[in-house]
Amino acid sequence: MLLWRRLAALRGERTPRRLRAGGPGPGPGPGRKSDGGGAPRPLYMDVQATTPLDPRVLDSMLPYLTAYYGNPHSRTHAYGWESEAAMEKARQQVADLIGADSREIIFTSGATESNNMAIKGVARFYKSRKKHIITTQTEHKCVLDSCRSLETEGFHITYLPVKKSGLIDLKELEAAFQPDTSLVSVMTVNNEIGVKQPIHDIGEICRAHKVFFHTDAAQAIGKIPMDVNNMKIDLMSISGHKIYGPKGVGALYVRRRPRVRLEPLQSGGGQERGLRSGTVPTPLAVGLGAACEVAQQEMEYDHKRISQLAERLVTKIMSEVPDVVMNGDQEHRYPVLAHQLLWSLPMFCGQLEQMKTWLTHLLDLALVVSLQKKKWIIQCRSAYST
């Protein structure tokens, strides 16, 4: 924020409110009780949906929003060289977080585009010989919709169910392979209940069958260690705004050896190895790189702290609320999604308001309640803020 403050000082302006101590965005920060109208502002803990921009990330972006505005693909003058150097540094920062080569990182607009590129790109490139794809029923909507779109083009998709724990059955995965299978797509960390799929084992199975393995790692990157070579991952989708980076930017990891071929979704100037034409937005790419670097530095500390908070939250609920069942595998999960844990508890409709009041006072949580399969699903949108 130093550059922003300097610019504001030169213009005789005050530092914008959203950049002052107290938190990002309009309205009060963590230390304020009211939004100005007297109503208390809820604590934001829905970080699996999006995260605020880390001030360190903003600092890294600001020069490329003001002073260094050259097109990173203009190679005939210094303005372009400066932006290109910043873009390539960011590419290396993303690659370092996942153990990849920087040449294997393709900048995109986010994980949705990355998922579309990976699934449709591989399927269409190899369609003359292979027209079968394997995924799971619990993938993100953009993955499932991409597969449904391919079905209209004549592809055959196998949607694997998951066990009660939320994990896939590796034996069912093995049995699903066909001679014309080109791709397996399995999410690393589920965005609803936080279970971690056995990515290393899935990678080994796919490599043994000579089938490409794609994983949507938007909820995993920066939270758990990821190594694309050790896990035998061929394609990986990344989102910037899930790791305290800017919205509107993401990346797709595409393995070079053994080489993965994609059919581009859009045509143009051939940027990003010809896989994603269009000018790379330097400030957003720089922000993604900085967010990856910060995440790599603080991952161990964050995991330990969030684990403690999640354990406190779960212990309180399980000990105080009767007949509650925590969904998903209890061991193979990432604890940050305790901020949006889902509990199932049988109850009568007449008890709903009483139960909501009880849980709200007990845990100081904002609750969202819905009815699914004759069970009330209590969705916790906050956690302890200690």
Side-chain angles (χ1 to χ4, degrees), residues 19 50 54 56 61 107 134 142 152 162 175 195 199 207-208 224 261 290 298 301 314 333 341 343 366 373-374:
L19 296 182
T50 193
D54 189 297
R56 292 166 291 184
M61 295 172 61
F107 286 117
I134 301 172
C142 64
T152 66
V162 295
V195 293
I199 295 300
R207 188 62 60 88
I224 60 175
R261 305 292 297 274
E298 301 186 354
Y301 169 80
V314 172
R333 68 162 60 246
L341 287 174
W343 288 278
K373 296 182 180 179
K374 297 182 180 180

Side-chain angles (χ1 to χ4, degrees), residues 289-301:
C292 288
E293 183 175 71
V294 171
Q296 188 171 24
Q297 294 169 350
E298 301 186 354
M299 188 187 308
E300 183 178 354
Y301 169 80

Side-chain angles (χ1 to χ4, degrees), residues 114-343:
S114 298
N115 286 334
N116 274 264
M117 283 180 60
I119 295 168
K120 295 176 181 176
V122 168
R124 291 169 180 168
F125 188 91
Y126 296 96
K127 65 182 179 181
S128 62
R129 296 181 288 113
K130 298 183 176 184
K131 303 200 74 172
H132 178 237
I133 293 173
I134 301 172
T135 189
T136 76
Q137 298 175 357
T138 57
E139 294 299 304
H140 191 276
K141 190 175 187 294
C142 64
V143 171
L144 296 176
D145 281 359
S146 293
C147 290
R148 293 188 186 104
S149 175
L150 290 173
E151 285 182 304
T152 66
E153 300 177 23
F155 290 88
H156 173 53
I157 314 294
T158 297
Y159 299 95
L160 294 176
V162 295
K163 297 182 289 187
K164 187 177 180 180
S165 65
L167 302 176
I168 67 168
D169 188 324
L170 294 178
K171 292 182 180 179
E172 287 189 12
L173 174 62
E174 285 266 20
F177 283 93
Q178 299 177 9
D180 65 340
T181 302
S182 62
L183 181 72
V184 171
S185 181
V186 179
M187 180 187 294
T188 303
V189 174
N190 185 270
N191 57 300
E192 293 294 340
I193 59 176
V195 293
K196 293 188 296 185
Q197 298 291 352
I199 295 300
H200 183 273
D201 295 335
I202 296 171
E204 293 285 357
I205 293 171
C206 291
R207 188 62 60 88
H209 285 82
K210 297 182 179 180
V211 169
F212 294 131
F213 175 38
H214 164 255
T215 186
D216 176 359
Q219 297 290 350
I221 290 298
K223 301 181 180 77
I224 60 175
M226 299 289 293
D227 188 306
V228 293
N229 293 307
N230 182 51
M231 296 177 171
K232 305 293 190 297
I233 296 170
D234 299 302
L235 302 110
M236 176 189 287
S237 300
I238 298 170
S239 173
H241 72 101
K242 308 291 188 183
I243 55 172
Y244 299 88
K247 295 174 177 64
V249 68
L252 176 65
Y253 160 77
V254 182
R255 181 176 291 279
R256 297 180 74 243
R257 291 186 177 85
R259 188 179 182 186
V260 181
R261 305 292 297 274
L262 306 178
E263 182 177 298
L265 297 185
Q266 61 192 43
S267 304
Q271 292 91 341
E272 298 300 281
R273 290 171 49 192
L275 298 178
R276 206 271 186 180
S277 293
T279 301
V280 173
T282 307
L284 297 181
V286 168
L288 175 61
C292 288
E293 183 175 71
V294 171
Q296 188 171 24
Q297 294 169 350
E298 301 186 354
M299 188 187 308
E300 183 178 354
Y301 169 80
D302 283 346
H303 191 280
K304 183 177 180 180
R305 179 175 180 273
I306 293 299
S307 296
Q308 293 172 345
L309 294 174
E311 182 180 0
R312 179 182 173 187
L313 175 64
V314 172
T315 301
K316 188 74 171 178
I317 289 182
M318 301 298 283
S319 63
E320 298 289 342
V321 182
D323 302 320
V324 88
V325 178
M326 185 173 171
N327 294 330
D329 191 270
Q330 305 304 298
E331 180 181 355
H332 300 96
R333 68 162 60 246
Y334 181 66
V336 73
L337 288 173
H339 299 156
Q340 191 182 351
L341 287 174
L342 299 176
W343 288 278

Side-chain angles (χ1 to χ4, degrees), residues 59-70:
D59 281 346
S60 70
M61 295 172 61
L62 283 175
Y64 300 95
L65 288 166
T66 53
Y68 304 106
Y69 45 79

Side-chain angles (χ1 to χ4, degrees), residues 34 214 368:
S34 171
H214 164 255
V368 179

